[in-house]
Amino acid sequence: LEAKEEFEHKSLAVDVMRPRRADPALAVLTQEGMTVAEAESLVESTRYSGFPVVVSQESQRLVGFVLRRDLLISLDNARQRQEGVVSSSQVLFTEHAPAQAAEAPPPVRLRSILDLSPFTVTDHTAMNITVDIFRKLGLRQCLVTHNGRLLGIITKKDILKHMAQMANRDPDSILFN
Ligand code: ADP
């Protein structure tokens, strides 16, 4: 990623992150309370490379980030190899399993595939700082929060697209740099 001065000074993370206002909401998983079928349908109804995991839909507190590929493999494995797992089994990203009814099917525990420290910036972080972090840490995506609530996601491609857009819209500012 190239550092472009004109891009760096003006844009904030909130200008680059998805979803945009008209987009469908950010696709997230909750750390508990989702079934195998619900997790599968979320993954299969989208093409995203990964999903933030939050404490609950209400809180939108970030717990971690899970890659699509890891999630699909683990759910598939659980269905095939873990005794008693069915569509209504709970998917758990928590450290400890909550109490379940005795007759409930066994949960699928997926904390091991969770990245517990995904990189985050706040919505008003300047994009020059964000781009710098992407470059230095070799990030593919980073999450955007406001007051601890998850707001959105920025991928490397989002940054490249935004840079291209800025360059088109404002050619004068490039000439000055
Ligand atoms: P890439 O940007 O490399 O194509 P993705 O396929 O993961 O990576 O993302 C495609 C687009 O969807 C990007 O604009 C990204 O910001 C957005 N996006 C990524 N993950 C999610 C998600 N879980 N929910 C909503 N939008 C997402």
Side-chain angles (χ1 to χ4, degrees):
L1 294 171
E2 291 288 311
K4 287 240 169 67
E5 293 291 316
E6 100 288 344
F7 166 76
E8 293 183 347
H9 290 310
K10 292 177 198 153
S11 302
L12 303 178
V14 71
D15 303 321
V16 182
M17 70 165 207
R18 304 303 147 102
R20 320 255 25 133
R21 228 179 279 277
D23 291 346
L26 192 66
V28 300
L29 294 152
T30 55
Q31 66 173 354
E32 57 187 322
M34 283 181 92
T35 63
V36 166
E38 285 166 346
E40 284 168 346
S41 83
L42 180 80
V43 179
E44 278 153 19
S45 65
T46 65
R47 298 300 320 157
Y48 307 129
S49 317
F51 302 89
V53 176
V54 294
V55 170
S56 64
Q57 290 290 353
E58 306 71 57
S59 79
Q60 291 292 312
R61 301 254 157 215
L62 185 64
V63 175
F65 190 78
V66 67
L67 291 175
R68 167 192 204 85
R69 183 187 56 226
D70 293 345
L71 188 59
L72 281 173
I73 292 170
S74 300
L75 289 172
D76 210 45
N77 265 339
R79 276 206 188 261
Q80 290 185 26
R81 312 217 171 110
Q82 193 186 326
E83 179 98 10
V85 166
V86 290
S87 295
S88 61
S89 291
Q90 296 286 309
V91 174
L92 294 179
F93 292 98
T94 51
E95 211 168 342
H96 305 288
Q100 284 205 114
E103 66 280 11
V108 175
R109 314 209 47 188
L110 296 182
R111 194 173 180 86
S112 62
I113 62 166
L114 199 54
D115 174 0
L116 289 166
S117 312
F119 205 86
T120 62
V121 295
T122 67
D123 51 346
H124 55 259
T125 303
M127 277 311 291
N128 64 328
I129 295 170
T130 311
V131 170
D132 214 37
I133 296 165
F134 262 78
R135 226 187 287 116
K136 287 187 174 137
L137 301 184
L139 299 182
R140 304 237 23 202
Q141 73 276 312
C142 117
L143 299 172
V144 182
T145 61
H146 178 82
N147 287 341
R149 278 172 75 91
L150 180 64
L151 275 194
I153 185 167
I154 298 176
T155 68
K156 194 170 153 180
K157 262 195 214 163
D158 292 331
I159 294 181
L160 293 170
K161 272 187 217 156
H162 188 77
M163 282 177 161
Q165 257 174 25
M166 297 304 275
N168 278 339
R169 199 179 300 158
D170 197 4
D172 286 348
S173 66
I174 298 169
L175 295 177
F176 283 110
N177 282 301

